[in-house]
Amino acid sequence: MAHGRKALLVGAGPNGLAAAIVLAQAGLHVEVFEAESSPGGAVRSMELTLPGFLHDFGSAVYPLGVGSPFFSSLPLEKHGLEWVHPPAPLAHPYDDGSAILLERDLEAGNAWLAQDGPAWRALTQPYVRRWQDFAPEVLRPVLAVPKHPWLMARFGMKALRSATSIAGHFSSERTRALFAGLAAHSFLALDEPLSGAFGLLMAITAHAVGWPIPRGGSQALTNALCGYLSTLGGTVKTSSRVDSIESLSGYDVILCDLPPRQLLRLAARQLTDGHKRKLQDFRLGPGVFKVDYALQSPLPWRASDCLRSATVHLGASFEEIAQSESAVRSGKPADKPFVLLVQPTLFDPSRAPAGKHIAWAYCHVPNGSTVDMLPRIEAQIERFAPGFREIVLARHVFNSADLEQRDANLIGGDIGGGLMDLRQVLFRPTRRQYATSAKKIYICSSSTPPGGGVHGMCGYHAAKLALSQLSRGTPR
Ligand SMILES: Cc1cc2nc3c(=O)[nH]c(=O)nc-3n(C[C@H](O)[C@H](O)[C@H](O)COP(=O)(O)OP(=O)(O)OC[C@H]3O[C@@H](n4cnc5c(N)ncnc54)[C@H](O)[C@@H]3O)c2cc1C
């Protein structure tokens, strides 16, 4: 079937590379065209502040990367990938100078969760125990027929609920705040349906697979994907922006690691008017404002337990985090933004000169916002780590437009490939999902199921569909 067939991938983000690998494994001749001078999209590392300080441009922590059914099937370790697991997946400090840690081990977590331990376990344990069954089901189109219907029906009943409703299971304000931080990864207001699903999924991954970082930075994951692709004969051509698909001939299938808005521009002549209208209706999610720091020393946390995790969530209570996220959803930057912070050099010193450190922090903002959130982000860090500003050697700021300039998929700073509300989770980006109205053109970015995050499963499923249609002769 594949002999002599040629595939083109537009975009070398994790989904583009995953799709390229699936097609190359099937024997197709695969070429990847990437606009930027290095592959990886939002999975790249670079010296953004000072020489010798290696920062992650986009993603930094990879629960869905290490837990991805597809990535786990690849020999990425042979191509230099090493996952570094901090002792605890997540720390969440409070105003009284204490913190709660989300432990990988559910039993060890009981000590932190105190009276909420049993409720936390009841919500997460069934899926933690069966991660190998659960992950392939949750990381694919929602409307696909499940292989484990009881497991998924049970999850689905909870998943439709809001974070506010699920937090009602917990009696302690501290546990409610912890859950709010997890649910805020949804970019939804915490009283919206589905926001609870993200909180649960993030908690489940913490216990099932951990929240690791790649040694050497996120680029190590991209390099491993590219390295393995090259053993299959696939090639990645960087500094090769595609402006029109029409100009590209000789390919049997074209998979686009692009959001709908970009696809519309590149393939305007190939798509039907009806399909174009549907793609135009796809809505973006909020953006982010991000800061990278070169630091003199580790962060001076009031709660020293925060030094046991790479990831720290800053937002002291459920209400504070809920207010931050609902402000963003209604188009206003938050006064006290919920801040996600990563301190990788505590666990991987290779990324900074001896004794020095890096940190990565961002908050959510309305899509395309140009408001300078730096003072508000630093006020939040100082609140939990007083004296932080004194240890900053250099900082680099990305507002939403700066992010888009370095990765055209991050439209208005949207890092999730489009809003993940109920409609766009079911029909992502349209009812056709990975297919388009043009027979040989597919979309494989995080604007397709299962959505944002580094797991490669959008690319995997898109490539599988392309292969099955190719074998039936459809794309020709
Ligand atoms: C600041 C930030 C923090 C994040 N944190 C995390 C995290 O910690 N963990 C996590 O799992 N996820 C995180 N994410 C989200 C995650 O990185 C994305 O969901 C993921 O990278 C999406 O992969 P993708 O392949 O769909 O798109 P991208 O990674 O955006 O890749 C798309 C690629 O296509 C290229 N491209 C675009 N247009 C063209 C064109 N016309 N021609 C050729 N090439 C083109 C781009 O240059 C880019 O390389 C974060 C993202 C950002 C930006």
Side-chain angles (χ1 to χ4, degrees):
M1 178 273 286
H3 185 69
R5 303 274 192 165
K6 277 185 81 178
L8 174 69
L9 264 295
V10 182
N15 283 313
L17 293 172
I21 288 171
V22 172
L23 297 173
Q25 283 175 329
L28 273 80
H29 176 80
V30 179
E31 289 171 11
V32 185
F33 283 9
E34 165 55 47
E36 298 298 318
S37 57
S38 60
V43 190
R44 280 180 291 165
S45 311
M46 43 190 88
E47 281 182 347
L48 292 167
T49 53
L50 297 171
F53 291 82
L54 194 59
H55 304 274
D56 290 331
F57 156 70
S59 52
V61 182
Y62 296 98
L64 295 175
V66 71
S68 159
F70 181 58
F71 286 169
S72 314
S73 73
L74 307 177
L76 298 180
E77 283 74 14
K78 281 197 189 138
H79 294 274
L81 178 65
E82 182 192 342
W83 293 117
V84 177
H85 283 272
L90 170 67
H92 193 124
Y94 302 101
D95 281 320
D96 65 0
S98 69
I100 202 167
L101 286 221
L102 189 57
E103 300 281 350
R104 175 109 182 244
D105 181 52
L106 261 172
E107 299 310 318
N110 277 347
W112 295 100
L113 297 166
Q115 71 269 35
D116 285 326
W120 190 274
R121 228 181 12 258
L123 284 165
T124 57
Q125 196 174 40
Y127 317 100
V128 172
R129 280 203 181 133
R130 295 186 59 192
W131 177 256
Q132 301 302 334
D133 295 331
F134 179 65
E137 305 268 22
V138 84
L139 295 175
R140 69 174 187 166
V142 177
L143 296 176
V145 180
K147 285 196 180 124
H148 303 280
W150 293 118
L151 185 73
M152 294 319 288
R154 203 169 159 190
F155 182 73
M157 307 267 280
K158 296 187 196 104
L160 281 173
R161 292 165 57 189
S162 68
T164 309
S165 154
I166 290 185
H169 286 263
F170 309 124
S171 55
S172 156
E173 188 42 55
R174 295 161 72 87
T175 318
R176 285 163 43 77
L178 175 72
F179 189 72
L182 294 168
H185 284 256
S186 65
F187 282 86
L188 298 171
L190 301 194
D191 56 1
E192 281 183 78
L194 278 186
S195 54
F198 286 88
L200 285 177
L201 181 60
M202 297 313 289
I204 291 163
T205 57
H207 302 301
V209 288
W211 288 18
I213 54 174
R215 188 173 303 284
S218 57
Q219 192 72 49
L221 173 56
T222 293
N223 291 351
L225 291 167
C226 290
Y228 177 56
L229 176 64
S230 74
T231 66
L232 302 170
T235 53
V236 180
K237 245 177 109 178
T238 53
S239 305
S240 301
R241 187 176 298 278
V242 175
D243 288 317
S244 158
I245 280 178
E246 208 173 11
S247 60
L248 306 163
S249 56
Y251 296 99
D252 296 280
V253 281
I254 299 178
L255 274 75
C256 300
D257 184 5
L258 303 173
R261 199 178 283 191
Q262 274 240 46
L263 179 68
L264 279 164
R265 197 171 54 77
L266 267 62
R269 292 174 69 117
Q270 285 82 1
L271 302 173
T272 62
D273 288 343
H275 191 57
K276 281 196 268 192
R277 270 194 300 279
K278 297 213 166 82
L279 289 171
Q280 266 150 8
D281 285 347
F282 189 73
R283 285 157 304 140
L284 297 170
V288 307
F289 183 101
K290 175 173 179 268
V291 200
D292 288 285
Y293 294 101
L295 302 175
Q296 177 65 38
S297 57
L299 276 101
W301 298 111
R302 282 165 72 203
S304 57
D305 286 323
C306 291
L307 296 169
R308 288 187 60 229
S309 177
T311 309
V312 187
H313 282 171
L314 304 179
S317 66
F318 187 97
E319 284 66 32
E320 181 183 316
I321 297 172
Q323 268 171 24
S324 161
E325 300 312 289
S326 96
V328 171
R329 280 290 274 136
S330 53
K332 292 188 286 269
D335 293 333
K336 274 189 181 178
F338 168 59
V339 173
L340 299 93
L341 185 142
V342 176
Q343 40 184 7
T345 35
L346 292 178
F347 312 99
D348 177 10
S350 72
R351 296 174 59 184
K356 304 284 188 286
H357 288 269
I358 56 169
W360 160 119
Y362 74 77
C363 70
H364 301 160
V365 292
N367 191 280
S369 169
T370 52
V371 174
D372 179 8
M373 297 299 284
L374 183 65
R376 292 181 229 190
I377 287 182
E378 293 199 349
Q380 289 289 61
I381 303 176
E382 276 283 336
R383 177 175 162 198
F384 300 102
F388 167 73
R389 286 196 186 92
E390 278 107 84
I391 63 160
V392 174
L393 298 171
R395 44 174 78 66
H396 181 282
V397 167
F398 284 109
N399 68 18
S400 52
D402 303 326
L403 285 168
E404 186 176 340
Q405 213 171 24
R406 300 243 189 160
D407 176 349
N409 283 29
L410 307 176
I411 302 171
D414 176 1
I415 70 170
L419 193 65
M420 291 284 284
D421 64 358
L422 197 52
R423 191 182 103 196
Q424 295 201 164
V425 163
L426 291 176
F427 309 116
R428 191 167 183 85
T430 68
R431 276 170 202 273
R432 293 175 189 259
Q433 301 186 338
Y434 312 101
T436 70
S437 59
K439 282 200 173 115
K440 67 178 180 182
I441 301 176
Y442 296 81
I443 177 166
C444 68
S445 69
S446 58
S447 305
T448 63
V454 176
H455 39 64
M457 296 304 288
C458 308
Y460 169 84
H461 290 297
K464 287 285 182 193
L465 178 71
L467 283 174
S468 79
Q469 297 195 338
L470 200 56
S471 71
R472 294 203 300 268
T474 324
R476 279 260 184 203

